């Protein structure tokens, strides 16, 4: 077995044709970070049955992805991120039963949700961000009826951001992400990084993740990094309460959609959540107090909704700035917003002041006549001054004539 790693050079032109030899099978092909153009060679998917890693990330490849994948596919990692590949996602990719990472973000694929990828039991990373996928995220009817069916059961990062997905989210979509759920003892066995084993080599998986309002590259993806990013689509309806079952989630981004209704209280069950973004939706009602109990939450954005009521108080909520809540949300008040932020302080201060003077008391009468007298005196004096000034001015005018 051998590998070809020519990443991050200045290679240009099309990928040359080369036969995969039986005596020296190609297992790793890394041509990422170059200036390669043209089509993805069909022989890489049909003739090279021993290929485990195909990394063509960050080139200028275009055209359609060949739909000619062999039945004996051994691919574990396919990274085409940041090219210009178009057309449909080839259905023969479902033959790659060992596939654990698929990243086709930043291309021009036009297709519906690849529901057929759910049958790949090893798939951990699925990145479809910024393509032209569209339509609803459907779930096979048999999966919904059979609670023991395995569907996207191993996925730990699913990124559908920046597409044209629409409609309601099926509740069972979140129920099927079993790798994001802690076991009954509250312990998950994740003490390694995601890698593709090719012979004696371990090829580390690299992925870009949007979290805490940053888009960062994770060079070594830890197996306990759990991300659901459905932002910048046209999803509508209610946020399924089943998302609360994903107790091992670290990042949830549902921003820039058309979700309506209330924020599910079940989000308070995400005991390891670090980044939560629900901004730019149509959410209403109050912010659940359960969110204030999330001690791991480091970044929150609920802005540009139609939320109301008092912002919950909590140790984590006190660390967020007004930008986490302002924008829309006209009925929202409380710290850190200026609206009624110091209401408690003002109330306590007013209680310590001396009681006001009762209406109709002698003190009221004295002060009233005092102010009336002073006002009358000042007004009378001001009138005399004006008359004198006016008389002098008239006398000067007569003398000039």
């Amino acid at each position: 077995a051998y590998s070809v790693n020519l990443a991050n050079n200045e290679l240009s032109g099309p990928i040359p044709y080369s036969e995969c030899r039986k005596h020296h099978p190609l297992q790793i092909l890394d041509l990422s970070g170059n200036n390669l153009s043209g089509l993805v060679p069909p022989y890489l998917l049909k003739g090279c049955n021993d290929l485990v890693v195909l990394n063509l990330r960050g080139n200028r490849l275009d055209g359609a992805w060949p739909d000619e994948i062999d039945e004996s596919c051994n691919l574990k990692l396919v990274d085409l991120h940041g090219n210009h590949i178009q057309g449909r996602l080839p259905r023969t990719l479902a033959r790659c039963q060992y596939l654990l990472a698929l990243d086709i973000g930043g291309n021009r694929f036009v297709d519906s949700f690849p529901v057929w990828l759910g049958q790949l039991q090893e798939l951990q990373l699925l990145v479809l961000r910024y393509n032209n996928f569209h339509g609803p995220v459907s779930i096979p009817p048999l999966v919904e009826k059979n609670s023991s069916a395995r569907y996207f059961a191993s996925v730990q990062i699913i990124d559908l951001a920046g597409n044209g997905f629409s409609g309601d989210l099926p509740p069972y979509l979140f129920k099927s992400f079993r790798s994001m759920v802690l076991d009954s003892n509250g312990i998950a066995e994740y003490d390694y990084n995601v890698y593709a084993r090719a012979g004696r080599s371990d090829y580390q998986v690299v992925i870009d993740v949007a979290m805490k309002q940053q888009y960062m590259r994770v060079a070594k993806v830890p197996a306990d990094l759990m991300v659901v990013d459905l932002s910048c689509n046209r999803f509508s309806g209610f946020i399924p309460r089943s998302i609360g079952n994903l107790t091992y989630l670290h990042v949830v981004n549902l921003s820039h959609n058309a979700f309506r209704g209330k924020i599910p209280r079940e989000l308070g069950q995400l005991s390891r959540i670090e980044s939560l973004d629900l901004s730019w939706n149509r959410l209403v009602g109050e912010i659940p107090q359960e969110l204030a109990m999330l001690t791991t939450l480091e970044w929150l954005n609920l802005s540009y909704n139609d939320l109301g009521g008092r912002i919950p108080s909590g140790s984590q909520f006190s660390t967020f700035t007004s930008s986490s809540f302002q924008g829309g949300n006209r009925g929202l008040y409380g710290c850190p917003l200026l609206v009624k932020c110091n209401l408690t302080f003002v109330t306590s201060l007013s209680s310590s002041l001396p009681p006001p003077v009762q209406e109709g008391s002698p003190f009221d009468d004295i002060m009233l006549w005092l102010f009336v007298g002073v006002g009358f005196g000042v007004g009378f004096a001001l009138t005399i001054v004006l008359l004198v000034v006016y008389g002098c001015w008239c006398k000067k005018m007569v003398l000039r004539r």
Side-chain angles (χ1 to χ4, degrees), residues 31-36 55-60 80-83:
L31 301 177
S32 61
N34 285 286
N35 199 29
L36 298 170
N55 191 347
L56 305 178
R57 182 188 190 96
N59 284 282
R60 294 192 298 114
L80 305 178
H81 195 112
N83 283 279

Side-chain angles (χ1 to χ4, degrees), residues 19 25 222 275 298 309 375 390:
E19 293 184 359
S275 178
E298 298 178 2
Y390 181 76

Side-chain angles (χ1 to χ4, degrees), residues 39 162 188 289:
L39 304 175
Q289 181 65 40

Side-chain angles (χ1 to χ4, degrees), residues 41 47 61 79 85 110 125 154 191 196 229 341 355 379 387:
L61 300 170
D79 192 344
I85 301 173
V110 181
L125 313 179
S154 300
D191 57 353
D229 192 342
C341 182
L387 289 174

